[in-house]
Amino acid sequence: NAGVTQTPKFRILKIGQSMTLQCAQDMNHNYMYWYRQDPGMGLKLIYYSVGAGITDKGEVPNGYNVSRSTTEDFPLRLELAAPSQTSVYFCASSGGGAGAFFGQGTRLTVV
Amino acid sequence: GIQVEQSPPDLILQEGANSTLRCNFSDSVNNLQWFHQNPWGQLINLFYIPSGTKQNGRLSATTVATERYSLLYISSSQTTDSGVYFCAVPFDYFNKFYFGSGTKLNVKP
């Protein structure tokens, strides 16, 4: 069972570029999330989804967009990358009363 | 929003020692999760514990929801226990979590 899979693991972007972080889960969870973790800090919620076709903003949504066309996939889109978006991004899913399960993270640097 | 405070922020242990990590939260919650972030950055589920006590090997956790705190006990610590321990509380039905800022544990051989 793969759990939550994120790609890529590392990426360097130039200011103003765009990219999509991919996230897929195989646990048939309805709820999926994107968090970012800045150095020495806890995680902050960017966006979340409660099912296919339904998404909503979290604490820090500015500069990001999401979509959820299937139960399994929840990509995060960065438009016009800025240095402030340098962070580690985690995708997670939950369902079935067992808490949240996290992917391995994507380390993004914007230069 | 809910405030989640963890203590201590840093902890250094000699291998074999025991420790207690604390998580205080500011509002009523119906669940709480403990994670271990290893030195490679991976977040590992430890406990999903709304109340009471759970044990898994050398680790155990206790949540007293009415008093708004949770404790994580690590017994006979090993160097592989090093990393950052986070508690997280969901702030609604959809399990959107508020995270504490973590306890950074360094277990020395």
Side-chain angles (χ1 to χ4, degrees), chain B residues 15-72:
Chain B
E15 196 169 28
N18 303 329
S19 63
T20 300
L21 283 57
R22 187 176 180 102
C23 174
N24 292 334
F25 41 93
S26 62
D27 208 344
S28 300
V29 297
N30 58 11
N31 229 316
L32 182 142
Q33 196 161 357
W34 282 97
F35 296 90
H36 175 215
Q37 187 167 40
N38 64 24
W40 296 270
Q42 187 178 5
L43 278 164
I44 300 163
N45 288 356
L46 296 178
F47 296 101
Y48 188 56
I49 178 168
S51 63
T53 298
K54 290 187 178 180
Q55 180 148 12
N56 185 1
R58 296 180 296 101
L59 273 60
S60 65
T62 296
T63 295
V64 184
T66 53
E67 297 187 22
R68 301 182 184 173
Y69 73 90
S70 183
L71 302 173
L72 178 69

Coordinates of all heavy atoms in Angstrom, one line a residue, chain B residues 15-72:
Chain B
E15 N 21.0 8.3 25.5 CA 20.3 7.1 25.1 C 19.9 6.3 26.4 O 20.7 6.1 27.3 CB 21.2 6.3 24.2 CG 20.5 5.2 23.5 CD 21.4 4.6 22.4 OE1 22.6 4.6 22.6 OE2 20.9 4.1 21.4
G16 N 18.7 5.8 26.4 CA 18.2 5.0 27.5 C 17.3 5.8 28.5 O 16.6 5.2 29.3
A17 N 17.4 7.1 28.4 CA 16.6 8.0 29.3 C 15.1 8.0 28.9 O 14.8 7.7 27.7 CB 17.2 9.4 29.3
N18 N 14.3 8.5 29.8 CA 12.9 8.6 29.5 C 12.5 10.1 29.4 O 13.3 11.0 29.9 CB 12.0 8.1 30.7 CG 12.3 6.6 30.9 OD1 12.6 5.9 30.0 ND2 12.2 6.2 32.2
S19 N 11.5 10.4 28.7 CA 11.1 11.8 28.6 C 9.6 12.0 28.4 O 8.9 11.0 28.0 CB 11.8 12.5 27.4 OG 11.3 11.8 26.2
T20 N 9.1 13.2 28.7 CA 7.7 13.5 28.6 C 7.6 14.8 27.8 O 8.2 15.8 28.2 CB 7.0 13.7 29.9 OG1 7.1 12.5 30.7 CG2 5.5 14.0 29.7
L21 N 6.8 14.8 26.7 CA 6.6 15.9 25.9 C 5.1 16.4 26.1 O 4.2 15.5 26.2 CB 6.8 15.6 24.4 CG 8.2 15.6 23.9 CD1 9.1 14.5 24.6 CD2 8.2 15.3 22.4
R22 N 4.9 17.7 26.2 CA 3.6 18.2 26.5 C 3.0 19.0 25.3 O 3.7 19.7 24.6 CB 3.6 19.0 27.7 CG 2.2 19.5 28.2 CD 2.3 20.2 29.5 NE 1.0 20.6 30.0 CZ 0.3 20.0 31.0 NH1 0.9 19.0 31.6 NH2 -0.9 20.4 31.3
C23 N 1.7 18.9 25.2 CA 0.9 19.7 24.2 C -0.3 20.3 24.8 O -1.1 19.5 25.4 CB 0.5 18.8 23.0 SG -0.5 19.6 21.8
N24 N -0.3 21.6 24.9 CA -1.5 22.3 25.4 C -2.3 22.9 24.3 O -1.7 23.4 23.3 CB -1.1 23.4 26.4 CG -0.5 22.9 27.6 OD1 -0.8 21.8 28.1 ND2 0.4 23.7 28.3
F25 N -3.6 22.9 24.3 CA -4.4 23.5 23.3 C -5.5 24.4 23.9 O -5.9 24.1 25.1 CB -5.0 22.5 22.3 CG -5.5 21.2 23.0 CD1 -6.8 21.1 23.4 CD2 -4.6 20.2 23.2 CE1 -7.3 19.9 24.0 CE2 -5.1 19.0 23.8 CZ -6.4 18.9 24.2
S26 N -5.9 25.4 23.2 CA -6.7 26.5 23.8 C -8.2 26.3 23.7 O -8.9 27.0 24.4 CB -6.4 27.8 23.0 OG -6.7 27.7 21.7
D27 N -8.7 25.3 23.0 CA -10.1 25.1 22.9 C -10.5 23.7 22.9 O -9.6 22.8 22.9 CB -10.5 25.7 21.5 CG -12.0 26.2 21.5 OD1 -12.7 25.8 22.5 OD2 -12.3 27.0 20.6
S28 N -11.7 23.4 23.1 CA -12.2 22.0 23.1 C -12.0 21.4 21.8 O -12.2 22.0 20.7 CB -13.7 22.0 23.4 OG -13.9 22.5 24.7
V29 N -11.4 20.2 21.8 CA -11.2 19.4 20.5 C -11.7 18.0 20.7 O -11.9 17.5 21.8 CB -9.7 19.4 20.2 CG1 -9.1 20.8 19.9 CG2 -8.9 18.6 21.2
N30 N -12.1 17.4 19.6 CA -12.6 16.0 19.7 C -11.5 15.0 19.2 O -11.8 13.8 19.1 CB -13.9 15.9 18.9 CG -13.7 16.2 17.5 OD1 -12.6 16.4 17.0 ND2 -14.8 16.4 16.8
N31 N -10.3 15.5 18.9 CA -9.3 14.6 18.6 C -7.9 15.3 18.6 O -7.8 16.5 18.7 CB -9.5 14.0 17.2 CG -9.4 12.5 17.3 OD1 -8.4 12.0 17.9 ND2 -10.3 11.8 16.7
L32 N -6.9 14.5 18.5 CA -5.5 15.0 18.6 C -4.6 14.0 18.0 O -4.8 12.8 18.1 CB -5.1 15.3 20.0 CG -3.7 15.9 20.3 CD1 -3.8 17.0 21.4 CD2 -2.7 14.9 20.5
Q33 N -3.6 14.4 17.3 CA -2.7 13.5 16.6 C -1.2 13.9 17.0 O -0.9 15.1 17.0 CB -2.9 13.5 15.1 CG -2.2 12.3 14.4 CD -2.8 12.0 13.0 OE1 -3.7 12.7 12.6 NE2 -2.3 11.1 12.3
W34 N -0.4 12.9 17.3 CA 1.0 13.1 17.5 C 1.8 12.5 16.3 O 1.5 11.4 15.8 CB 1.5 12.4 18.7 CG 1.2 13.0 20.0 CD1 0.2 12.8 20.9 CD2 2.0 14.1 20.7 NE1 0.2 13.6 22.0 CE2 1.3 14.4 21.9 CE3 3.1 14.7 20.3 CZ2 1.8 15.3 22.8 CZ3 3.6 15.7 21.2 CH2 2.9 16.0 22.4
F35 N 2.8 13.3 15.8 CA 3.6 12.9 14.7 C 5.1 13.0 15.1 O 5.5 13.8 15.9 CB 3.5 13.9 13.5 CG 2.1 13.9 12.9 CD1 1.2 14.8 13.3 CD2 1.8 13.0 11.9 CE1 -0.1 14.8 12.7 CE2 0.6 13.1 11.3 CZ -0.4 14.0 11.7
H36 N 5.9 12.2 14.5 CA 7.4 12.3 14.6 C 7.9 12.6 13.2 O 7.6 11.9 12.2 CB 8.0 10.9 15.0 CG 9.5 10.9 15.0 ND1 10.2 9.8 14.7 CD2 10.4 11.9 15.3 CE1 11.5 10.1 14.8 NE2 11.6 11.3 15.2
Q37 N 8.6 13.8 13.1 CA 9.3 14.1 11.9 C 10.7 13.7 12.0 O 11.5 14.3 12.8 CB 9.2 15.6 11.6 CG 9.7 16.0 10.2 CD 9.3 17.4 9.7 OE1 9.3 18.3 10.5 NE2 8.9 17.5 8.5
N38 N 11.1 12.7 11.2 CA 12.5 12.2 11.4 C 13.5 13.2 10.7 O 13.1 14.2 10.1 CB 12.6 10.8 10.8 CG 12.3 10.7 9.3 OD1 12.5 11.7 8.6 ND2 11.9 9.5 8.9
P39 N 14.8 12.9 10.9 CA 15.8 13.9 10.4 C 15.8 14.0 8.8 O 16.3 15.0 8.3 CB 17.1 13.3 10.8 CG 16.8 12.6 12.1 CD 15.4 12.0 11.9
W40 N 15.1 13.1 8.1 CA 14.9 13.2 6.7 C 13.7 14.0 6.3 O 13.4 14.1 5.1 CB 14.9 11.8 6.1 CG 16.3 11.1 6.3 CD1 17.3 11.2 5.5 CD2 16.6 10.3 7.4 NE1 18.4 10.4 6.1 CE2 18.0 9.9 7.2 CE3 15.9 10.0 8.6 CZ2 18.6 9.1 8.2 CZ3 16.6 9.2 9.5 CH2 17.9 8.8 9.3
G41 N 12.9 14.4 7.3 CA 11.8 15.3 7.0 C 10.5 14.5 6.9 O 9.4 15.2 6.7
Q42 N 10.5 13.2 7.0 CA 9.3 12.4 6.9 C 8.4 12.5 8.1 O 8.9 12.4 9.2 CB 9.6 11.0 6.6 CG 8.5 10.1 6.2 CD 8.9 8.7 6.0 OE1 10.1 8.3 6.1 NE2 8.0 7.8 5.6
L43 N 7.1 12.7 7.9 CA 6.1 12.8 9.0 C 5.5 11.4 9.3 O 4.9 10.9 8.4 CB 5.0 13.8 8.7 CG 5.4 15.3 9.0 CD1 4.4 16.2 8.3 CD2 5.4 15.6 10.5
I44 N 5.7 10.9 10.5 CA 5.2 9.6 10.8 C 4.2 9.7 11.8 O 4.3 10.3 12.9 CB 6.4 8.7 11.3 CG1 7.5 8.6 10.2 CG2 5.9 7.3 11.7 CD1 8.8 8.2 10.7
N45 N 3.0 9.0 11.6 CA 1.9 9.0 12.6 C 2.4 8.2 13.8 O 2.9 7.1 13.7 CB 0.7 8.3 12.0 CG 0.0 9.1 10.9 OD1 0.4 10.2 10.7 ND2 -1.0 8.5 10.3
L46 N 2.1 8.8 15.0 CA 2.4 8.1 16.2 C 1.1 7.6 16.8 O 0.9 6.5 17.1 CB 3.2 8.9 17.2 CG 4.6 9.3 16.7 CD1 5.3 10.2 17.8 CD2 5.5 8.1 16.5
F47 N 0.3 8.6 17.1 CA -1.0 8.3 17.8 C -2.1 9.3 17.3 O -1.8 10.4 17.0 CB -0.9 8.5 19.3 CG 0.1 7.6 20.0 CD1 1.3 8.0 20.4 CD2 -0.3 6.3 20.3 CE1 2.2 7.2 21.0 CE2 0.6 5.4 20.9 CZ 1.8 5.9 21.3
Y48 N -3.3 8.7 17.2 CA -4.5 9.5 17.0 C -5.3 9.3 18.2 O -5.9 8.2 18.4 CB -5.1 9.0 15.7 CG -6.3 9.8 15.2 CD1 -6.2 11.2 14.9 CD2 -7.5 9.2 14.9 CE1 -7.2 11.9 14.4 CE2 -8.6 9.9 14.4 CZ -8.4 11.3 14.1 OH -9.5 12.0 13.6
I49 N -5.4 10.3 19.1 CA -5.9 10.0 20.4 C -6.8 11.1 20.9 O -6.4 12.1 21.4 CB -4.7 9.7 21.4 CG1 -5.2 9.5 22.8 CG2 -3.7 10.9 21.3 CD1 -4.1 8.9 23.7
P50 N -8.2 10.9 20.9 CA -9.1 11.9 21.4 C -9.1 12.1 22.9 O -9.3 13.2 23.4 CB -10.4 11.4 20.9 CG -10.3 10.0 20.8 CD -8.8 9.7 20.4
S51 N -8.9 11.0 23.6 CA -8.9 11.0 25.1 C -8.3 9.7 25.5 O -8.2 8.7 24.7 CB -10.3 11.2 25.6 OG -11.1 10.1 25.2
G52 N -8.0 9.6 26.8 CA -7.4 8.4 27.4 C -6.0 8.2 27.0 O -5.2 9.1 26.7
T53 N -5.6 6.9 27.1 CA -4.2 6.6 26.9 C -4.0 5.5 25.8 O -4.8 4.6 25.8 CB -3.6 6.1 28.2 OG1 -3.6 7.1 29.2 CG2 -2.1 5.6 28.1
K54 N -3.0 5.6 25.0 CA -2.6 4.6 24.0 C -1.2 4.3 24.2 O -0.4 5.2 24.5 CB -3.0 5.0 22.6 CG -4.4 5.1 22.3 CD -4.6 5.4 20.8 CE -6.1 5.4 20.5 NZ -6.3 5.7 19.0
Q55 N -0.8 3.1 23.9 CA 0.6 2.7 23.9 C 1.0 1.9 22.7 O 0.2 1.2 22.1 CB 0.9 1.8 25.2 CG 2.3 1.3 25.3 CD 2.7 1.2 26.7 OE1 1.9 1.2 27.6 NE2 4.0 1.0 27.0
N56 N 2.2 2.2 22.2 CA 2.8 1.5 21.1 C 4.3 1.3 21.4 O 5.1 2.2 21.1 CB 2.6 2.3 19.8 CG 3.0 1.6 18.6 OD1 3.5 0.4 18.7 ND2 2.9 2.1 17.4
G57 N 4.6 0.1 21.9 CA 6.0 -0.1 22.2 C 6.5 0.8 23.3 O 5.9 0.8 24.4
R58 N 7.6 1.5 23.0 CA 8.2 2.4 24.0 C 7.5 3.7 24.1 O 7.8 4.5 25.0 CB 9.7 2.6 23.7 CG 10.5 1.4 23.7 CD 12.0 1.7 23.4 NE 12.1 2.2 22.0 CZ 12.3 3.4 21.7 NH1 12.3 4.4 22.6 NH2 12.4 3.8 20.4
L59 N 6.6 4.0 23.3 CA 5.9 5.2 23.3 C 4.4 5.0 23.8 O 3.8 4.0 23.5 CB 5.8 5.8 21.8 CG 6.9 6.7 21.3 CD1 8.3 5.9 21.3 CD2 6.6 7.2 20.0
S60 N 4.0 6.1 24.5 CA 2.6 6.1 24.9 C 2.1 7.6 24.9 O 3.0 8.5 25.0 CB 2.4 5.5 26.3 OG 3.0 6.2 27.3
A61 N 0.8 7.7 24.8 CA 0.3 9.1 24.8 C -1.0 9.1 25.6 O -1.7 8.1 25.7 CB 0.0 9.5 23.4
T62 N -1.2 10.2 26.3 CA -2.4 10.4 27.1 C -2.9 11.8 26.8 O -2.2 12.8 26.7 CB -2.0 10.4 28.6 OG1 -1.5 9.1 29.0 CG2 -3.2 10.8 29.5
T63 N -4.2 11.8 26.5 CA -4.9 13.1 26.3 C -6.0 13.3 27.3 O -6.8 12.4 27.5 CB -5.6 13.1 24.9 OG1 -4.5 13.1 23.9 CG2 -6.4 14.4 24.6
V64 N -6.0 14.4 27.9 CA -7.1 14.8 28.9 C -7.8 16.0 28.2 O -7.4 17.2 28.4 CB -6.5 15.2 30.3 CG1 -7.6 15.5 31.2 CG2 -5.6 14.0 30.8
A65 N -8.8 15.7 27.5 CA -9.5 16.7 26.7 C -10.1 17.8 27.5 O -10.1 19.0 27.2 CB -10.5 16.1 25.7
T66 N -10.7 17.4 28.7 CA -11.4 18.4 29.5 C -10.4 19.4 30.1 O -10.8 20.5 30.4 CB -12.1 17.6 30.7 OG1 -11.1 16.8 31.4 CG2 -13.2 16.8 30.2
E67 N -9.1 19.0 30.2 CA -8.1 19.9 30.7 C -7.2 20.5 29.6 O -6.2 21.2 29.9 CB -7.3 19.3 31.8 CG -8.1 18.9 33.0 CD -7.3 18.4 34.2 OE1 -6.1 18.7 34.3 OE2 -7.9 17.6 35.0
R68 N -7.5 20.1 28.4 CA -6.9 20.7 27.2 C -5.4 20.4 27.1 O -4.6 21.4 26.9 CB -7.2 22.2 27.1 CG -8.7 22.4 27.0 CD -9.1 23.8 26.8 NE -10.5 24.0 26.8 CZ -11.1 25.2 26.8 NH1 -10.4 26.3 26.8 NH2 -12.4 25.2 26.8
Y69 N -5.0 19.2 27.4 CA -3.6 18.9 27.2 C -3.4 17.4 26.8 O -4.3 16.6 27.0 CB -2.7 19.2 28.4 CG -2.9 18.2 29.6 CD1 -2.1 17.1 29.7 CD2 -3.8 18.5 30.5 CE1 -2.3 16.2 30.8 CE2 -4.0 17.6 31.6 CZ -3.2 16.5 31.7 OH -3.4 15.7 32.8
S70 N -2.2 17.2 26.2 CA -1.9 15.8 25.9 C -0.4 15.6 26.2 O 0.4 16.6 26.1 CB -2.1 15.5 24.4 OG -1.8 14.1 24.0
L71 N 0.0 14.4 26.6 CA 1.4 14.1 26.9 C 1.9 12.9 26.0 O 1.1 12.0 25.8 CB 1.5 13.7 28.4 CG 1.0 14.7 29.4 CD1 1.1 14.2 30.8 CD2 1.9 16.0 29.3
L72 N 3.1 13.0 25.6 CA 3.7 11.9 24.9 C 4.9 11.4 25.7 O 5.8 12.2 26.0 CB 4.2 12.4 23.5 CG 4.9 11.3 22.6 CD1 3.9 10.2 22.2 CD2 5.6 12.0 21.4

